[in-house]
Amino acid sequence: MKPELPPRVWLDRAVNLGLLWTGSLLAGSGLALKYRVGYTAPRGATVWGLDGEGWAGLHWVLSLVVLGLLALHLFRHRRWLWGVLVARFSPGLLAVVLICALLAGAPVLWPGE
Amino acid sequence: MKPSRWSKPVAVVAAAIACWLVPLLWSLQRQRTGGVSLRPKEDGPAPLRAATVRPLILYVDAWPTRATLDLREIQGLTTESESTLAPAKVADHLVSALGRLGITPEIHRLDRLPPATDVSAYRPVVVVYPVRHGRPAAEVAAFFDRRVEPLVARQNGRADLAVADVAVAETPEIAAAAQRSVGEWSRYYKIRYEAGPRLDPRLSLHRERQLLAELAGRIRAEAGR
């Protein structure tokens, strides 16, 4: 008989599955906005009963959910992440992390033209 | 009682489904009710019947001029016709915002407004125009000269007309200057005027939609006056 898995494993699975499905619908809503209900769509076009504004709202909320799940995912694996950073520290790894931070923060912090 | 061996997998799947199903259901609910912010408050006036409301939306099918001449744009070689700030698209968005309030407006390209149309039969008249060379597009002035002036003359200077506008310009300041012109023309003819949103390319799509939704709310109030 298999040993019972601890609750934290089930939590990680829920977060990962949530990320996978929510991320998929996030991508689908982006595609719908671009190709089905966007600016080039005929007036009054809807998909699943949602018009362009409805899909834009859903896309925005799903992005917040994905960001939240991603933050939770990273928090749950913080010890592993820290371990990798400390144990395998190298200039290359530091460059990877810095580029991550730059890509995430620069569009928000960069002064507008 | 010992939990079933399926209870945890089921809980995991349920939580993962909730992550996307809740936002989806919320969006559908919001679509049906026309948005939380636009619903009449409990202690506010009773919602208007759509049949009592008849706004007229007139748009100028041109682009605002810019600080720097873009030859590709005036040659029609760029894809700007897809942009959210094309006055025709802005007018479409306003129609959608009104539709969410149960109002079906009439929409025309301003220079193709049928001569037989009596603009005083609508309330309000919303003009969506680009600002060209620091002024509202020429079609707007022509509208006041050829449609509003005869109406004022017919009604002995007491035209019961309400005009609102949406100005599209490169900056909000330029849009505000154009709206001051429309305000002066309206005062000259003694008709009611309400300056609407000033749209510029720096506005986010969300903010643009929000401003148009607010205008739609005011149009509903104006139409019921």
Side-chain angles (χ1 to χ4, degrees):
Chain A
M1 187 180 165
K2 286 183 185 174
E4 191 164 329
L5 295 169
R8 60 185 166 79
V9 174
W10 292 105
L11 177 63
D12 288 340
R13 286 181 178 180
V15 170
N16 293 344
L17 194 58
L19 259 177
L20 183 67
W21 283 344
T22 312
S24 300
L25 187 56
L26 179 65
S29 60
L31 290 169
L33 276 170
K34 174 70 181 169
Y35 296 110
R36 298 292 306 278
V37 291
Y39 302 124
T40 53
R43 186 180 298 165
T46 60
V47 175
W48 294 359
L50 292 172
D51 62 8
E53 195 171 338
W55 278 103
L58 177 62
H59 192 67
W60 167 247
V61 174
L62 288 175
S63 69
L64 294 179
V65 172
V66 165
L67 280 175
L69 288 172
L70 199 58
L72 188 57
H73 178 87
L74 292 176
F75 178 77
R76 297 279 306 137
H77 295 89
R78 64 193 181 282
R79 289 195 185 86
W80 178 86
L81 284 168
W82 186 248
V84 168
L85 284 174
V86 172
R88 300 185 186 176
F89 181 80
S90 69
L93 186 61
L94 182 64
V96 168
V97 173
L98 285 177
I99 289 172
C100 279
L102 193 69
L103 290 175
V108 178
L109 302 174
W110 204 266
E113 288 85 21
Chain B
M1 189 176 133
K2 193 180 175 188
S4 153
R5 64 188 288 260
W6 289 106
S7 60
K8 282 174 181 166
V10 166
V12 163
V13 170
I17 288 175
C19 288
W20 56 268
L21 190 60
V22 170
L24 181 61
L25 293 176
W26 174 78
S27 296
L28 287 168
Q29 171 70 14
R30 196 163 171 265
Q31 176 93 35
R32 272 197 295 273
T33 57
V36 174
S37 60
L38 296 176
R39 268 184 287 178
K41 291 176 184 169
E42 294 297 320
D43 56 350
L48 292 168
R49 283 176 294 133
T52 64
V53 175
R54 191 105 172 119
L56 175 65
I57 297 175
L58 303 170
Y59 66 90
V60 177
D61 199 15
W63 282 98
T65 50
R66 299 170 195 277
T68 309
L69 179 66
D70 183 348
L71 197 58
R72 287 176 59 78
E73 186 176 306
I74 61 174
Q75 288 173 337
L77 298 176
T78 64
T79 56
E80 296 233 53
S81 59
E82 292 181 9
S83 165
T84 174
L85 279 185
K89 284 291 175 189
V90 172
D92 271 356
H93 294 163
L94 185 56
V95 169
S96 301
L98 286 165
R100 287 164 177 272
L101 299 177
I103 299 169
T104 308
E106 197 165 317
I107 178 169
H108 288 284
R109 202 172 119 159
L110 185 50
D111 57 347
R112 291 181 187 166
L113 181 65
T117 304
D118 177 10
V119 291
S120 67
Y122 300 86
R123 185 188 292 272
V125 176
V126 185
V127 188
V128 183
Y129 57 87
V131 180
R132 296 184 61 80
H133 312 294
R135 292 182 166 278
E139 288 90 338
V140 183
F143 169 72
F144 273 84
D145 288 347
R146 293 172 194 162
R147 306 304 288 261
V148 176
E149 189 169 283
L151 182 71
V152 171
R154 274 203 308 276
Q155 298 184 356
N156 294 323
R158 299 175 66 84
D160 185 20
L161 197 63
V163 172
D165 68 358
V166 181
V168 184
E170 194 175 7
T171 68
E173 293 76 24
I174 296 174
Q179 287 186 324
R180 277 196 294 278
S181 294
V182 177
E184 283 166 18
W185 301 342
S186 302
R187 268 195 299 281
Y188 177 75
Y189 291 116
K190 296 186 177 66
I191 57 177
R192 249 199 336 272
Y193 165 71
E194 183 178 333
R198 298 158 191 164
L199 305 182
D200 69 89
R202 282 174 288 187
L203 282 182
S204 67
L205 173 63
H206 177 71
R207 182 64 186 144
E208 184 208 327
R209 295 287 180 91
Q210 206 176 25
L211 290 170
L212 292 174
E214 286 168 9
L215 176 63
R218 291 201 298 276
I219 288 171
R220 182 175 64 172
E222 174 64 42
R225 194 177 283 180

